Amino acid sequence: MWLTNAVVLLSLALALALAISSEEPKLSSHATMLADNSANLAFNLYHNVAKEKNLENILISPVVVASSLGMVALGGKSSTASQVKSVLSATQLKDEHLHSGLSELLSEVSDSDKRNVTWKISNRLYGPSSVSFADDYVKNSKKHYNLDHSKINFRDKRSAVNAINEWASKSTDGKMPEVTKDVQNTDGAMLINAMFFKPHWNEKFHHKMVDDRGFMVTRSYTVSIPMMHRTGLYDHYEDTENRLFLLSMPLAHKKSSVVFIMPYHVEPLERIEKLLTRKQLDTWMSKMEEKGVAISLPKVNMEVSHNLQKHLAELGLTEAVDKSKADLSNISGKKDLYLSNVFHASSLEWDTEGNPFDPSVFTNEKLKSPKLFYADHPFIFLVKDNKTNSILFIGRLVRPKGDKMRDEL
């Protein structure tokens, strides 16, 4: 009898050990706090960028911006460094916890194997020809942020721009061919993020369910783009008071989801953007219900590059971008640098690819009268991480690439 009990206890112990070992490791408290804070940064930065006149598409990765701020903090001293913590609402963190936390967060959310997404992230700091990068900064920025360093002759603008764009194209396998057409303020350091992000849906679209449709940029201007279609069970909410639809589509492994926010009709997005806060998003998400939804989404590539220097300054990073005040002496050993440009360049590819779908879903009663989510006019979207609650991307699609369709009488 005792032998039987011993075997049972041993089996239970082994099962418990396997269950514990199969659990994903939790983020440190520093990374968890920075994930939460980067979500706040997402909305602040989005609203600031959206104020730019004549700006159409927006594409920002708040967690990558947060890591860029970490690179600035690593290179800064005194109030130049402390301002970074203020922008990240992390003034209570020690320096080592700030850098280890940001590094841990970005490693977690960009892990292609765990999340089954393609996300290439390259960071480079360009300095003028006269600068000498300090060994400690090169080592620590590489360790925490995988930051490359390069000198460049900004006096030859054309060659400098070509070199920057060639680096970005090569580091994204040709997906982000152009960061900028010109470089202003060539007497400082330039920080560049170059990214390619391709989500893989938890349930793929059939490649044959794609056709050319019209996307209404405005009521009087329509472009022809490929649209992909599928019907399935998704979290959905219709806000009748604010005249908009919300749809959440899980990505592969359900580690993250794309949340679409689309007004009923074609209109400038300013009205929706005024509603867009973290609290409002949480309210909308709490009201979502699983429903049958017939979805039509643009099958397009977005290539967007923002110079975030002035936007970060407006959020409180005033010293690092000011030639007369910046103390970035950890970068070069001297107070001879300021942050003259912060380019944030992203390519996002919406495609049909994903996991095979379960055909048994079509027996579900909810699919008998599905809701329609037809994204043929400007909308806002977020890629939301389900484990860390951070926002991987926030943006809007206003003008996809496509040929103008002729007017119909």
Side-chain angles (χ1 to χ4, degrees):
M1 183 70 177
W2 68 268
L3 184 60
T4 303
N5 290 338
V7 170
V8 170
L9 288 172
L10 181 59
S11 299
L12 289 171
L14 286 171
L16 181 60
L18 285 170
I20 292 171
S21 65
S22 65
E23 285 182 8
E24 287 191 18
K26 291 184 178 180
L27 289 180
S28 68
S29 60
H30 318 304
T32 300
M33 188 191 83
L34 289 162
D36 192 62
N37 293 354
S38 70
N40 293 325
L41 176 66
F43 294 97
N44 293 336
L45 195 53
Y46 178 92
H47 285 296
N48 210 287
V49 171
K51 289 188 294 187
E52 277 192 32
K53 290 183 178 179
N54 303 319
L55 183 67
E56 294 174 338
N57 300 334
I58 293 176
L59 187 56
I60 300 166
S61 173
V63 291
V64 172
V65 173
S67 72
S68 295
L69 289 169
M71 298 174 212
V72 177
L74 191 64
K77 286 185 178 179
S78 61
S79 54
T80 299
S82 63
Q83 279 188 348
V84 172
K85 290 184 179 180
S86 296
V87 174
L88 290 173
S89 303
T91 52
Q92 69 274 39
L93 277 188
K94 294 180 179 179
D95 288 352
E96 60 266 31
H97 293 155
L98 175 74
H99 302 305
S100 64
L102 287 171
S103 177
E104 183 185 353
L105 172 61
L106 194 58
S107 296
E108 168 64 36
V109 299
S110 61
D111 188 318
S112 296
D113 293 331
K114 283 183 184 177
R115 292 162 185 275
N116 196 19
V117 299
T118 300
W119 195 3
K120 295 181 181 294
I121 305 169
S122 297
N123 303 306
R124 177 168 279 195
L125 181 71
Y126 283 99
S129 303
S130 58
V131 76
S132 294
F133 295 114
D135 291 342
D136 279 351
Y137 184 76
V138 170
K139 181 181 71 174
N140 291 323
S141 61
K142 187 75 175 177
K143 171 187 172 183
H144 292 298
Y145 303 110
N146 197 29
L147 179 66
D148 289 330
H149 309 78
S150 180
K151 296 182 184 183
I152 195 166
N153 180 12
F154 286 123
R155 291 179 182 177
D156 185 348
K157 270 195 178 185
R158 180 176 293 181
S159 294
V161 168
N162 287 341
I164 291 164
N165 289 336
E166 285 173 11
W167 165 78
S169 179
K170 184 177 180 180
S171 62
T172 58
D173 295 335
K175 300 294 186 178
M176 190 68 223
E178 185 176 88
V179 170
T180 184
K181 296 182 186 299
D182 192 15
V183 177
Q184 304 297 325
N185 303 325
T186 57
D187 56 346
M190 180 188 302
L191 186 59
I192 303 180
N193 314 127
M195 290 171 283
F196 170 57
F197 184 79
K198 182 178 180 179
H200 297 249
W201 306 107
N202 189 56
E203 290 189 334
K204 67 181 180 181
F205 291 76
H206 196 288
H207 68 278
K208 290 186 178 179
M209 295 293 288
V210 179
D211 57 13
D212 290 334
R213 301 283 179 101
F215 185 97
M216 294 177 285
V217 176
T218 66
R219 290 185 181 274
S220 59
Y221 188 87
T222 300
V223 295
S224 176
I225 61 168
M227 294 275 278
M228 48 192 185
H229 316 276
R230 80 174 314 274
T231 301
L233 296 174
Y234 295 97
D235 287 340
H236 179 276
Y237 175 63
E238 179 180 357
D239 184 340
T240 54
E241 180 182 352
N242 290 305
R243 307 185 306 283
L244 57 87
F245 299 105
L246 272 92
L247 175 72
S248 179
M249 296 183 66
L251 300 181
H253 302 334
K254 298 187 177 180
K255 301 282 187 180
S256 54
S257 302
V258 184
V259 179
F260 297 94
I261 307 170
M262 187 178 68
Y264 281 178
H265 307 294
V266 184
E267 63 171 280
L269 290 174
E270 285 86 346
R271 180 182 70 85
I272 308 297
E273 288 168 339
K274 286 178 181 177
L275 301 171
L276 188 62
T277 63
R278 186 173 183 182
K279 183 178 180 181
Q280 181 61 69
L281 179 66
D282 289 342
T283 299
W284 280 329
M285 297 290 287
S286 70
K287 294 181 179 180
M288 282 188 162
E289 295 179 7
E290 186 183 71
K291 296 176 182 177
V293 188
I295 298 169
S296 295
L297 287 179
K299 181 181 180 291
V300 294
N301 295 349
M302 287 180 69
E303 295 165 8
V304 185
S305 182
H306 302 290
N307 190 345
L308 298 180
Q309 190 226 35
K310 67 177 182 180
H311 302 298
L312 291 172
E314 289 177 10
L315 295 182
L317 194 74
T318 57
E319 286 198 12
V321 301
D322 187 324
K323 187 176 181 179
S324 64
K325 296 179 180 178
D327 184 352
L328 296 174
S329 51
N330 280 339
I331 294 179
S332 64
K334 297 185 291 186
K335 287 182 66 175
D336 58 349
L337 284 178
Y338 78 107
L339 207 57
S340 57
N341 296 275
V342 182
F343 284 110
H344 188 75
S346 309
S347 173
L348 172 61
E349 186 174 318
W350 303 108
D351 204 349
T352 58
E353 294 178 22
N355 293 339
F357 60 85
D358 179 5
S360 68
V361 71
F362 295 110
T363 63
N364 193 295
E365 290 291 317
K366 293 178 181 178
L367 290 188
K368 287 188 175 179
S369 53
K371 300 288 183 180
L372 181 64
F373 191 88
Y374 193 76
D376 68 342
H377 55 277
F379 57 82
I380 296 168
F381 62 91
L382 305 96
V383 183
K384 197 170 183 296
D385 187 63
N386 297 328
K387 177 179 178 180
T388 66
N389 208 32
S390 57
I391 294 173
L392 309 186
F393 279 93
I394 183 170
R396 70 185 185 196
L397 181 63
V398 172
R399 186 190 290 266
K401 288 183 287 188
D403 295 328
K404 182 180 185 295
M405 297 180 73
R406 63 187 179 88
D407 296 329
E408 300 291 344
L409 297 177

